[in-house]
Amino acid sequence: MDNVQMMMKLLPRQIGDKHLVKFSQGPCAADAKTDPRRSDRSCGSGVVLQLAKQPRLGLLHQEIEGGELKLLHAFANGCHAEYSLICREGVFEVKESHLCSSGHFTGPGAAVVEQSWELCSSKDFSLSLLTPVLDLVWDVEIPVSTAVEGCLRVSLPEDFPELEKIRGTMEEQKKALIQRKKEVGGCPTFRSASDRLERASDFEGSGLTGSFS
């Protein structure tokens, strides 16, 4: 009974009463500030890297619980830039640093990877890889310094449940990707007929399309 009376004293007397109970310590502290993005996340599952929107497709699963993963080198308007991936408080973040010999850097800055993040090349914004990925057509490594014609995309693994076996070393992932390709009869990331039709747009402007494309 004493506990009930104590709790009643803590509650507002009536609806609209301006009396509020303010906790100053513990998880209910009124001044406590939490980032909902970071409350229940972990970087333990890693990320999926994809070369997309270009003729040569690439993919690799990467884990970076600690440290930093270099992603891309960029060049634009007389500036060299580097994009890297880090884990901060359970959330993946993209870092950007640049050095300009002339002009001002006009590329994207730092970002938080909510579900996915991508950076694409253009006529005035050239990109090259700073981390290798696996070629989804020829099953070979696409090495560092390879020019990116389309985009590099960083995604959380939960977006690709069908790729849950793509883990481990480069060789282990290559074997798993080959097996996945056999299972689906084509690209391991395609989920529908429309995905296959949209693949044609990856070749636009590449000089690889024929007269019937």
Side-chain angles (χ1 to χ4, degrees), residues 15-130:
I15 296 176
D17 194 313
K18 294 183 179 180
H19 173 70
L20 297 175
V21 179
K22 180 177 179 180
F23 296 89
S24 59
Q25 295 180 349
C28 295
D31 297 329
K33 295 181 180 179
T34 59
D35 187 336
R37 295 188 310 244
R38 305 172 190 271
S39 60
D40 58 353
R41 286 194 179 180
S42 167
C43 297
S45 59
V47 294
V48 176
L49 305 179
Q50 288 179 279
L51 273 182
K53 301 178 183 178
Q54 64 174 42
R56 195 177 189 186
L57 300 181
L59 185 142
L60 194 73
H61 176 266
Q62 283 276 19
E63 295 181 2
I64 57 160
E65 190 68 39
E68 182 175 324
L69 175 66
K70 292 185 178 182
L71 296 174
L72 292 163
H73 172 267
F75 179 77
N77 197 31
C79 301
H80 292 270
E82 185 174 287
Y83 291 86
S84 302
L85 190 67
I86 62 170
C87 174
R88 191 193 305 275
E89 298 178 20
V91 173
F92 289 109
E93 296 183 4
V94 176
K95 291 174 51 181
E96 178 272 317
S97 59
H98 62 267
L99 181 64
C100 298
S101 57
S102 62
H104 300 282
F105 184 62
T106 56
V112 172
V113 181
E114 290 290 349
Q115 286 301 122
S116 66
W117 170 91
E118 70 176 27
L119 190 61
C120 302
S121 65
S122 67
K123 179 182 177 181
D124 301 315
F125 190 70
S126 63
L127 296 172
S128 59
L129 291 175
L130 291 179

Side-chain angles (χ1 to χ4, degrees), residues 167-186:
R167 300 289 188 274
T169 65
M170 182 78 74
E171 186 63 27
E172 290 170 337
Q173 293 193 48
K174 182 176 75 172
K175 291 178 180 179
L177 280 170
I178 292 173
Q179 182 59 38
R180 175 65 184 170
K181 286 164 68 176
K182 290 179 180 178
E183 292 172 357
V184 300

